[in-house]
Amino acid sequence: MTHGSSSARRLYDFIVVSNRLPVDSVSDSDGNQVWAPSPGGLVAALEPVMHHRDGAWVGWPGRADLELEPFETGGMSLIPVALSAAEVAEYYEGFSNDTLWPLYHDVIAAPSFLREWWEAYKTVNRRFAERTAEVAEHGAVVWVQDYQLQLVPKLLRDARPDLTIGFFNHIPFPSYGLFSQLPWRTQIIEGLLGADVVGFQRDADAGNFAQAVRRLKGFATKGNRITVPLVDPGGRLPSPVRDSAATRTVVARKFPISIDAPYYRDTAKRDDIRARAREIRADLGNPKTIMLGVDRLDYTKGIRHRLLAYGELLAEGRVKPEDVLLVQVASPSRERVQSYMDLRDEVELTVGRINGEYSAIGHQAISYHHRSYPREEMVALYLAADVMLVTALRDGMNLVAKEYVAARFDNAGVLVLSEFAGASDELKRAVMVNPHDIDGMKEAMLVAIEMPKSEQAQRMRSMRRRVFEDDVEKWSSGFLKALAEHRHAGDE
Ligand code: ADQ
């Protein structure tokens, strides 16, 4: 790996590295390829940060076998990393989405452990690290994002010890009992320990990581600091590592991610968006209560549990379909992974059954949409919904919960929130649920449906304060401050 090998190549002193570049390549009406912002939690979180800094973003443009030169869009420099079709299948759909994703989400679905996928994961992580090392200025700050790139911090540190390296894990980090299933668990821990700061969504995730470090490497951990030998002889070391002169410190702690809260508030206040919210309600027949679910179609999001609970309430006559309507927006996701195809079939079968049983002509119990919407339309939906259902079985954070709260400038509406979503650490005035407890979910839905306006307002005000205090700007500046402090501590 070479450092700035081409003199003509531009170097950057701040670089974000993520699996996907924050753009999609789409065809315009004349058939030309153009770039459009791509949806998703990470992009929603980092877009505002990149706009404020003159940095570069290293990532895959989202289509296999696409070799692209670096380009600029929306004030950002994008450095594309090419992936072959086989690599997309093995590194991305395979190891990332069918091994790590289910493993890190408490094995809700069974992870597949395939050695070929691991080989592809290593190859692709190496390519990301090489590309980043090529464009990084001496002493640059590099911020690596998420579980697809857990080997990058160590690869980068080995090649470029001058860099300050951060890593943020957007999804949960599992307990050691589950993590230890991974045949390549030690390499993953070593990969992450290449960073100066390893960020997680919750204290529990940082604690699980520290435990894995102790169990697999024997390194001492104290509070959120881990002592790591400068030269790791490999294998498990006796704890604590004694020769303090030859160690470095890795900080592992929570940095709960958030949203661009003012955007959601200001958009919700627009006359056209409020008119659209009224139109949505009218199109749905102006029911007394609209409940809303908005998720990527993913088995971690608890969509099936939500449908089951609502279906039982209808079956028992405790809610009437003409009074309480469920809007479920499920954006297409990972459509080539088998467990996602199975999930889609099951969700759509259940929606069909419930609608077949309880809908009237011209009025459906569930209004189901398998598609993505522009952000403005999402805000109108949030405004139109009396009850927001976030019932994830496991979720790093869940930005939808925070977006709903930020949009409700009218202090109306009720958030039903899973205790297994990271957002539950902050949004404590939500109606909390354990989504595995279907009876409990039914009770929570009834509480939400019947909640007096005054209590809605009290709870919403308190949650809004939290979301506006701790928005995405604070998340990114907090993480970058921790990285800068680490760098200065190293200078002394
Ligand atoms: P995700 O699993 O993608 O993110 P989430 O945090 O809810 O989950 O973010 C989804 C984003 O996509 C939200 O901004 C939402 O508005 C948007 N979205 C969802 N469905 C949509 C639709 N049909 N149309 C348009 N937009 C839609 C991962 C982790 C999360 C973590 C984030 C950020 O799994 O736990 O919160 O990263 O760290």
Side-chain angles (χ1 to χ4, degrees):
M1 212 180 281
T2 53
H3 171 191
S5 52
S6 153
S7 56
R9 191 173 275 143
R10 192 172 156 201
L11 301 178
Y12 301 88
D13 66 3
F14 176 67
I15 301 173
V16 172
V17 189
S18 68
N19 172 60
R20 279 295 306 273
L21 284 174
V23 286
D24 275 327
S25 100
V26 292
S27 298
D28 68 10
S29 49
D30 300 329
N32 300 318
Q33 186 186 282
V34 293
W35 295 101
S38 57
L42 177 61
V43 176
L46 282 178
E47 205 180 25
V49 186
M50 290 301 285
H51 281 142
H52 289 112
R53 297 186 70 144
D54 176 33
W57 196 312
V58 174
W60 173 49
R63 241 203 291 151
D65 298 314
L66 186 63
E67 300 271 355
L68 287 176
E69 287 303 312
F71 63 101
E72 309 265 326
T73 188
M76 285 188 287
S77 299
L78 304 183
I79 318 280
V81 175
L83 297 182
S84 69
E87 285 166 347
V88 173
E90 295 183 350
Y91 144 80
Y92 181 60
E93 289 161 352
F95 200 78
S96 297
N97 289 339
D98 208 12
T99 304
L100 295 171
W101 181 269
L103 182 69
Y104 283 30
H105 287 88
D106 287 356
V107 190
I108 296 165
S112 309
F113 299 116
L114 267 70
R115 283 164 284 187
E116 316 79 275
W117 290 1
W118 165 245
E119 289 305 319
Y121 187 79
K122 283 193 294 188
T123 303
V124 171
N125 270 247
R126 214 172 292 124
R127 189 173 311 144
F128 271 83
E130 281 168 4
R131 201 74 191 95
T132 306
E134 281 167 7
V135 297
E137 192 74 76
H138 184 84
V141 170
V142 178
W143 192 0
V144 183
Q145 308 289 328
D146 230 357
Y147 62 102
Q148 302 93 348
L149 301 174
Q150 291 173 99
L151 305 178
V152 170
K154 178 177 178 348
L155 293 165
L156 261 185
R157 175 167 299 279
D158 288 348
R160 294 287 305 275
D162 58 294
L163 301 177
T164 300
I165 303 166
F167 180 90
F168 185 75
N169 198 49
H170 289 257
I171 67 173
F173 196 89
S175 66
Y176 186 69
L178 294 175
F179 182 68
S180 58
Q181 289 181 12
L182 186 68
W184 310 282
R185 58 199 186 183
T186 306
Q187 292 96 310
I188 294 285
I189 292 297
E190 287 170 354
L192 291 170
L193 287 174
D196 296 293
V197 176
V198 186
F200 296 94
Q201 302 278 27
R202 309 177 88 164
D203 281 329
D205 302 317
N208 287 341
F209 174 68
Q211 197 194 6
V213 169
R214 287 193 298 273
R215 295 286 294 270
L216 293 169
K217 299 297 298 177
F219 298 163
T221 65
K222 191 167 180 210
N224 53 36
R225 303 173 88 79
I226 303 172
T227 306
V228 177
L230 280 185
V231 180
D232 181 353
R236 190 179 184 286
L237 290 186
S239 181
V241 177
R242 287 180 210 290
D243 183 359
S244 64
T247 59
R248 48 184 274 269
T249 299
V250 175
V251 171
R253 51 164 276 218
K254 71 166 176 184
F255 294 88
I257 202 168
S258 194
I259 57 164
D260 183 1
Y263 167 85
Y264 285 91
R265 177 197 57 208
D266 297 345
T267 306
K269 282 185 172 173
R270 274 166 38 189
D271 288 343
D272 57 332
I273 300 295
R274 290 159 74 174
R276 175 65 192 139
R278 285 193 296 275
E279 188 179 53
I280 291 171
R281 289 194 73 98
D283 286 351
L284 292 168
N286 279 320
K288 282 197 194 117
T289 306
I290 294 175
M291 299 203 291
L292 173 65
V294 172
D295 318 77
R296 270 190 311 101
L297 188 48
D298 193 295
Y299 49 79
T300 61
K301 303 288 183 185
I303 302 170
R304 287 174 293 192
H305 297 63
R306 188 183 307 163
L307 294 175
L308 188 61
Y310 175 60
E312 285 191 14
L313 285 175
L314 290 172
E316 292 160 9
R318 294 168 81 190
V319 301
K320 296 202 170 49
E322 59 274 21
D323 291 343
V324 180
L325 182 140
L326 173 62
V327 177
Q328 177 62 55
V329 179
S331 46
S333 188
R334 304 175 188 173
E335 292 181 284
R336 281 155 36 128
V337 177
Q338 188 59 46
S339 47
Y340 288 76
M341 298 179 202
D342 296 343
L343 172 71
R344 181 173 179 192
D345 287 347
E346 206 183 320
V347 164
E348 295 185 353
L349 188 72
T350 309
V351 169
R353 281 210 178 121
I354 292 176
N355 275 339
E357 196 101 5
Y358 303 106
S359 297
I361 295 204
H363 172 275
Q364 290 192 318
I366 303 178
S367 174
Y368 171 78
H369 310 270
H370 181 245
R371 54 166 292 188
S372 277
Y373 287 104
R375 275 210 292 187
E376 275 129 352
E377 181 73 356
M378 299 283 289
V379 175
L381 271 169
Y382 293 148
L383 268 189
D386 305 287
V387 176
M388 182 80 222
L389 299 173
V390 175
T391 60
L393 305 176
R394 183 53 82 190
D395 212 333
M397 178 53 65
N398 194 293
L399 297 179
V400 169
K402 292 186 172 180
E403 291 166 2
Y404 180 68
V405 167
R408 297 311 303 241
F409 67 90
D410 55 353
N411 292 315
V414 183
L415 174 64
V416 173
L417 178 59
S418 164
E419 62 191 75
F420 301 114
S424 67
D425 282 356
E426 295 162 87
L427 304 179
K428 293 191 193 301
R429 299 302 304 281
V431 175
M432 292 296 175
V433 287
N434 166 4
H436 297 283
D437 172 8
I438 300 300
D439 286 337
M441 286 247 279
K442 287 156 67 182
E443 292 307 319
M445 285 180 183
L446 291 175
V447 164
I449 291 165
E450 286 154 16
M451 188 178 287
K453 286 277 175 211
S454 57
E455 187 181 346
Q456 292 183 23
Q458 247 180 23
R459 289 173 179 255
M460 192 54 89
R461 268 196 210 98
S462 144
M463 293 192 287
R464 286 175 61 75
R465 262 198 302 278
R466 188 66 195 260
V467 170
F468 280 85
E469 272 164 21
D470 295 331
D471 69 358
V472 73
E473 208 285 315
K474 188 161 167 195
W475 169 75
S476 54
S477 58
F479 190 96
L480 294 173
K481 186 161 163 268
L483 262 186
E485 283 168 4
H486 196 281
R487 190 207 308 242
H488 291 132
D491 289 346
E492 282 156 12

